[in-house]
Amino acid sequence: MKLSIIVQHGKKKKAMEIETTALVATLMEQVWQEFAIPVGGQKLVYKGKTMGGEMTLSTFNLITDSKIMIMGTPLTADEEKKAINESTRTLIKLKEDEQKGVNPKLLAEQCQKCIEALDGVRVPPSFTELKIQKKDLIVSYQSFQESLDKK
């Protein structure tokens, strides 16, 4: 059965619909999507009780418009921005190194490491522009790597 609940972090409130049989972990994932608070940094509280990730929502006897409080610090994406900007500078340097005649295999290996590092950067869902920038940068790295592999 779907249930409409109110989730609140500070002054920000959001109505959410979720199945009563869902795990608290499912709600925590929705909180991550909506409030940019990482799942591992969340604490959900209902009527003074902490809601554990492996428990089902039905355990708490929620009713329509039940209010769940969230504690945790939202990401600002500063670290993610810094990582993406650093990766952009690295790509420019790799392209300059290619012009200088550096071994293409070495550059391709460095490209792969940068792609893997970028893949590990988790951008909060609400940071759409940064997500697009990350995706475009990965595509640029892959293109450059493909051109190196042909040499």
Side-chain angles (χ1 to χ4, degrees):
M1 178 174 110
K2 281 222 184 230
L3 185 64
S4 179
I5 58 173
I6 308 292
V7 180
Q8 182 172 350
H9 180 260
K11 294 183 179 180
K12 184 177 178 183
K13 293 180 184 180
K14 175 72 179 172
M16 294 184 172
E17 291 215 352
I18 192 160
E19 291 288 332
T20 55
T21 56
L23 292 176
V24 172
T26 303
L27 177 59
M28 294 173 96
E29 196 58 41
Q30 288 182 348
V31 167
W32 159 249
Q33 300 285 327
E34 192 62 41
F35 293 88
I37 302 171
V39 172
Q42 291 177 27
K43 182 176 179 183
L44 275 58
V45 179
Y46 176 67
K47 290 189 175 183
K49 295 180 184 173
T50 300
M51 301 173 78
E54 297 305 313
M55 305 170 99
T56 62
L57 292 174
S58 61
T59 305
F60 297 93
N61 299 317
L62 299 172
I63 58 172
T64 299
D65 294 334
S66 289
K67 189 185 287 184
I68 296 173
M69 304 300 293
I70 309 164
M71 289 187 257
T73 305
L75 290 180
T76 59
D78 289 341
E79 289 300 314
E80 292 78 2
K81 287 176 190 173
K82 191 186 289 185
I84 289 169
N85 288 336
E86 181 62 33
S87 292
T88 301
R89 286 189 291 276
T90 301
L91 180 59
I92 292 167
K93 184 184 177 311
L94 290 173
K95 288 181 176 183
E96 289 170 354
D97 287 349
E98 179 195 26
Q99 296 299 315
K100 293 176 185 174
V102 174
N103 183 337
K105 284 191 178 207
L106 178 63
L107 294 174
E109 287 174 14
Q110 290 176 330
C111 270
Q112 186 59 40
K113 287 179 184 176
C114 289
I115 291 169
E116 289 169 4
L118 275 170
D119 193 44
V121 175
R122 189 163 183 203
V123 179
S126 55
F127 291 85
T128 309
E129 187 176 315
L130 193 58
K131 287 180 86 152
I132 292 168
Q133 185 181 355
K134 175 187 167 186
K135 181 182 175 187
D136 290 347
L137 185 56
I138 289 172
V139 169
S140 294
Y141 264 107
Q142 290 170 333
S143 269
F144 183 56
Q145 188 178 31
E146 285 176 19
S147 73
L148 291 169
D149 289 341
K150 291 177 184 176
K151 292 184 178 189

